[in-house]
């Protein structure tokens, strides 16, 4: 039996989701079983089209893609075009993929795959938690069917990136997030801004990926998806939010965590805040080894490792 980690990735494909897909496809430690999409950074149709295009670009056009929830459980959907550009892919010029998507929808695909391979699959959720909450509603045995769950989301001890209280993925669907954090998964890890804020690529890395060197597709993808951030928004660093969550799924030692119960604020100015409310079962990442995490990302996708932040 292979000792690779079999992953389902749940994505709202924008720029850092695209890099997470690149990491998952390039990593010899990962078997990417399926990808489900959700409304988040962009609407679910764009998220699905972006996912198909990115997978094709990466030479992974046979990985099944399932379109998921088109809106959060309760709140109206808000996107993040301000950061990822209107199409969500940061100005990337990738060929469109006309590949057919899977017949069952995201939450149904998660339930089907988990039932087919009980205790084997790791789900990494990189967008709002709507698909996972729906899947839990229709299959309450999901916690025992999945090997583990890793969520990119939350700002537990640091300010949010959307409001002082809230991180984007949790803010968009706080009801879904509250449900997921309250579920007794045997292994549920939250990789929030507390750690992802420290793991970033630099303009030098982007230059290297855009420079026409003889690089792998997974590395060239950074040159594509980084355009809007580095040129239009003129940022100097690009946080690897979603790639870090995938990396933690295969190497939990990249972070130090605290086991806690987590509550999510659903309304008012604090909406989307993730609170640590005492000992509990969620493994909340609170510290990261940033240099090791960045190096691991660069090596895995084939970026030059010399360019320093
Ligand atoms: C998260 O929000 C999205 O904009 C990113 O893709 C990431 O999943 C970071 O807050
Ligand atoms: Ca995301």
């Amino acid at each position: 039996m292979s000792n690779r980690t079999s992953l389902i990735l749940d994505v709202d494909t924008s720029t850092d989701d695209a890099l997470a897909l690149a990491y998952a496809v390039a990593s010899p430690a990962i078997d990417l079983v399926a990808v489900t999409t959700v409304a988040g950074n962009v609407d679910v149709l764009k998220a699905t089209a972006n996912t198909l295009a990115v997978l094709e670009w990466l030479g992974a056009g046979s990985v099944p893609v399932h379109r998921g929830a088109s809106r959060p459980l309760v709140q109206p959907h808000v996107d993040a075009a301000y950061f990822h550009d209107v199409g969500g892919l940061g100005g990337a010029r990738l060929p469109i993929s006309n590949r057919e998507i899977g017949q069952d929808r995201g939450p149904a695909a998660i339930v089907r795959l988990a039932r087919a391979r009980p205790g084997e699959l790791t789900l990494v959720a990189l967008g709002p938690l709507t698909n996972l909450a729906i899947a839990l509603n229709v299959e309450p045995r999901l916690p025992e069917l999945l090997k583990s769950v890793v969520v990119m989301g939350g700002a537990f001890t640091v300010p949010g990136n959307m409001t002082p209280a809230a991180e984007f993925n949790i803010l968009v669907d706080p009801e879904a997030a509250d449900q997921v954090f309250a579920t007794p998964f045997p292994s549920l890890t939250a990789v929030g801004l507390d750690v992802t804020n420290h793991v970033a690529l630099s303009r030098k890395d982007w230059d290297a990926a855009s420079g026409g060197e003889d690089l792998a597709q997974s590395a060239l993808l950074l040159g594509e998806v980084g355009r809007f951030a580095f040129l239009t928004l003129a940022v100097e660093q690009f946080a690897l939010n979603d790639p870090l969550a995938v990396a933690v799924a295969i190497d939990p030692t990249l972070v130090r965590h605290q086991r806690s119960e987590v509550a999510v604020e659903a309304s008012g100015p604090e909406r989307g805040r993730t609170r640590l409310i005492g000992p509990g079962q969620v493994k909340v990442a609170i510290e990261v080894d940033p240099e090791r995490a960045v190096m691991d990302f660069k090596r895995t996708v084939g970026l030059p490792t010399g360019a320093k932040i």
Side-chain angles (χ1 to χ4, degrees):
M1 201 169 116
S2 144
N3 51 12
R4 292 193 300 164
T5 301
S6 297
L7 282 194
I8 303 175
L9 283 188
D10 187 57
V11 296
D12 55 336
T13 299
S14 63
T15 56
D16 63 328
D17 298 76
L19 297 182
L21 286 164
Y23 180 90
V25 168
S27 171
I30 292 176
D31 169 28
L32 184 56
V33 173
V35 181
T36 55
T37 64
V38 66
N41 290 316
V42 284
D43 67 56
V44 75
L45 296 179
K46 282 185 191 156
T48 308
N50 289 348
T51 302
L52 290 168
V54 167
L55 287 173
E56 205 75 47
W57 172 270
L58 295 168
S62 61
V63 175
V65 174
H66 298 268
R67 189 164 82 221
S70 59
R71 44 157 294 173
L73 296 183
V74 179
Q75 320 272 353
H77 175 226
V78 230
D79 69 29
Y82 79 96
F83 185 75
H84 301 281
D85 202 5
V86 276
L89 274 186
R93 295 186 285 249
L94 309 187
I96 292 169
S97 163
N98 293 316
R99 177 157 69 98
E100 299 235 331
I101 55 170
Q103 292 218 324
D104 45 358
R105 297 305 191 214
I110 291 170
V111 170
R112 174 176 54 78
L113 291 164
R115 282 180 183 157
R117 299 177 61 179
E120 285 184 28
L121 302 178
T122 294
L123 177 75
V124 184
L126 304 177
L129 291 166
T130 323
N131 283 339
L132 182 50
I134 295 171
L136 280 167
N137 287 345
V138 296
E139 178 47 283
R141 289 189 313 122
L142 202 58
E144 51 195 91
L145 294 173
L146 288 171
K147 183 176 178 194
S148 67
V149 174
V150 179
V151 165
M152 191 284 129
F156 297 88
T157 60
V158 296
N161 56 2
M162 292 300 287
T163 69
E167 179 278 332
F168 178 79
N169 288 339
I170 306 298
L171 181 73
V172 172
D173 199 340
E175 284 79 8
D178 197 41
Q179 186 183 343
V180 168
F181 287 132
T183 300
F185 286 100
S187 175
L188 170 61
T189 305
V191 176
L193 299 180
D194 313 69
V195 286
T196 67
N197 279 344
H198 300 290
V199 179
L201 297 177
S202 66
R203 180 175 288 277
K204 277 190 184 159
D205 296 319
W206 178 67
D207 284 343
S210 318
E213 275 184 69
D214 189 16
L215 295 175
Q217 290 292 96
S218 49
L220 292 172
L221 191 61
L222 171 65
E224 292 292 328
V225 302
R227 247 179 230 125
F228 186 71
F230 285 106
L231 289 181
T232 309
L233 301 178
V235 301
E236 288 305 319
Q237 295 212 350
F238 187 94
L240 292 172
N241 299 300
D242 291 342
L244 182 63
V246 180
V248 168
I250 54 169
D251 183 1
T253 69
L254 284 170
V255 293
R256 190 170 71 79
H257 68 252
Q258 171 183 325
R259 278 185 185 265
S260 186
E261 192 175 336
V262 172
V264 181
E265 204 64 51
S267 57
E270 293 279 283
R271 184 179 131 196
R273 184 183 286 283
T274 42
R275 290 184 203 284
L276 302 174
I277 53 167
Q281 104 294 2
V282 184
K283 294 183 251 180
V284 179
I286 48 171
E287 237 176 64
V288 63
D289 182 340
E291 281 177 15
R292 188 153 76 85
V294 169
M295 264 319 163
D296 168 61
F297 176 82
K298 288 187 187 177
R299 280 202 197 101
T300 303
V301 302
L303 278 167
T305 49
K308 287 261 173 3
I309 292 176

